[in-house]
Amino acid sequence: MSEQTRALGEPARTDSAATGIVLLALITLFWGVNWPAIKLSVNEVPVWAFRSICLLAGAGGLFAIAAAARLPLRIPRQDLKPLLIAALGNITFWHLFSALGVTMMQPGRASILAFTMPLWAAPIAAIWLKERIDRLRMAGLGIGMIGLAVLVVPDWQGLQAAPWGPILMLLAAIAWAFGTVALKTHRYSMPTTSLVAWQMLLGGMPIFIGAILFDRDFDPGAVSSLGWGAVAYAALIPMIFCHWAWFRVVAIYPAVVAAIGTLAIPVIGIISSALITGDVVGWDEILSLALVVFALFLVLVAPQLRRRA
């Protein structure tokens, strides 16, 4: 049983490189499509209420899965403090800042800034966890960030004209990076499903309170069927499956590898935003896709080929 596996309390037999790659591919697709879904949602549902619906649905779904599998639901005393610290980054600040940022930006462009997370996760992990960043990972991180820059630079004037959206998305990225690395600092004795459910519930408490305080006038009847459809997608697939899968990936790979693996998500976000919300896809999106795929190859495939050789 590896140290990363023991950290999340799951059997080692489920933790393999193949499992991690499959989960990263599904996370990339579902979280990428989630960005236009978030945009459609917050166009009609207030941010605090929207995130509360998502977190309650996600926590409830994961608790139900854990109960059906007869997994322990109790939080061991030694796990509570590190769980709360990780939940602040992964849930509270990430969900609040990202939803607010999307209200001020196009969803595809917002996803680009949000997934600069690896840029922040790498130094945090190196300092906090003493994780080694080898040449392949450094190259993958650099090429992936160049791929993101290809998307950002053409819209730089637009970003300067509306700074609060980008600022909030960068804060969301930093919060997610902090929470991801924080998960690796403690060896949890509870299973992943229960851990993620408790993170959503406890990390969502400030957001639930915010919804009660700031969104009391929200009228659910005024939301269109398209709006509720987007809310349903965001609350079910990304919140239940993708959150579980993300923390499973964190258990399988070092924090930097898991973070770099998310670099393809904004590319899917751009493409799905074009299909769903009408964003224009140009040469920069295509070039970015090629760079990000190559970065993922360096991080996930090249090390395995080198070990076999």
Side-chain angles (χ1 to χ4, degrees), residues 25-308:
L26 293 176
I27 290 171
T28 297
L29 175 63
F30 294 146
W31 258 341
V33 174
N34 192 42
W35 287 98
I38 292 174
K39 184 67 173 181
L40 293 175
S41 298
V42 296
N43 281 343
E44 302 187 49
V45 180
V47 168
W48 295 93
F50 166 66
R51 282 309 196 190
S52 294
I53 293 170
C54 290
L55 289 170
L56 287 172
L62 289 172
F63 275 127
I65 292 172
R70 298 184 178 180
L71 297 175
L73 299 178
R74 184 182 66 86
I75 303 176
R77 181 177 300 178
Q78 69 272 16
D79 290 350
L80 180 58
K81 182 178 178 180
L83 188 154
L84 289 173
I85 293 173
L88 280 176
N90 287 321
I91 302 300
T92 309
F93 293 124
W94 160 257
H95 282 271
L96 184 58
F97 290 152
S98 61
L100 288 171
V102 169
T103 65
M104 306 175 189
M105 298 182 64
Q106 292 181 349
R109 299 292 174 178
S111 70
I112 296 169
L113 295 180
F115 286 92
T116 59
M117 186 270 276
L119 181 65
W120 313 108
I124 293 174
I127 295 171
W128 198 353
L129 303 181
K130 309 300 182 184
E131 284 191 1
R132 179 174 173 268
I133 305 178
D134 60 23
R135 292 181 181 179
L136 281 175
R137 292 175 188 170
M138 183 64 72
L141 178 61
I143 293 172
M145 296 310 297
I146 291 172
L148 296 184
V150 167
L151 291 177
V152 171
V153 171
D155 195 42
W156 189 250
Q157 290 184 345
L159 295 177
Q160 289 179 318
W164 275 110
I167 288 173
L168 287 168
M169 297 313 304
L170 286 175
L171 289 174
I174 295 171
W176 185 16
F178 171 84
T180 298
V181 177
L183 276 178
K184 308 286 287 187
T185 64
H186 179 73
R187 185 176 300 178
Y188 291 92
S189 56
M190 56 195 306
T192 301
T193 306
S194 302
L195 175 64
V196 178
W198 278 114
Q199 278 197 93
M200 288 186 183
L201 186 61
L202 297 178
M205 287 298 178
I207 298 177
F208 304 152
I209 295 172
I212 294 172
L213 294 176
F214 304 126
D215 292 342
R216 287 179 293 180
D217 296 332
F218 168 54
D219 179 13
V223 180
S224 68
S225 57
L226 176 63
W228 279 123
V231 171
Y233 174 87
L236 298 177
I237 297 178
M239 292 301 301
I240 297 176
F241 172 77
C242 288
H243 272 87
W244 174 87
W246 167 248
F247 294 116
R248 171 56 38 216
V249 167
V250 171
I252 295 172
Y253 292 116
V256 174
V257 175
I260 294 173
T262 65
L263 286 171
I265 296 176
V267 178
I268 301 299
I270 286 285
I271 296 173
S272 61
S273 294
L275 295 175
I276 297 173
T277 64
D279 291 352
V280 178
V281 178
W283 66 266
D284 46 348
E285 286 83 5
I286 297 173
L287 178 58
S288 176
L289 176 61
L291 289 169
V292 169
V293 169
F294 183 53
L296 292 174
F297 174 84
L298 290 179
V299 173
L300 299 176
V301 179
Q304 298 183 39
L305 296 177
R306 184 172 63 179
R307 283 194 296 270
R308 291 180 180 179

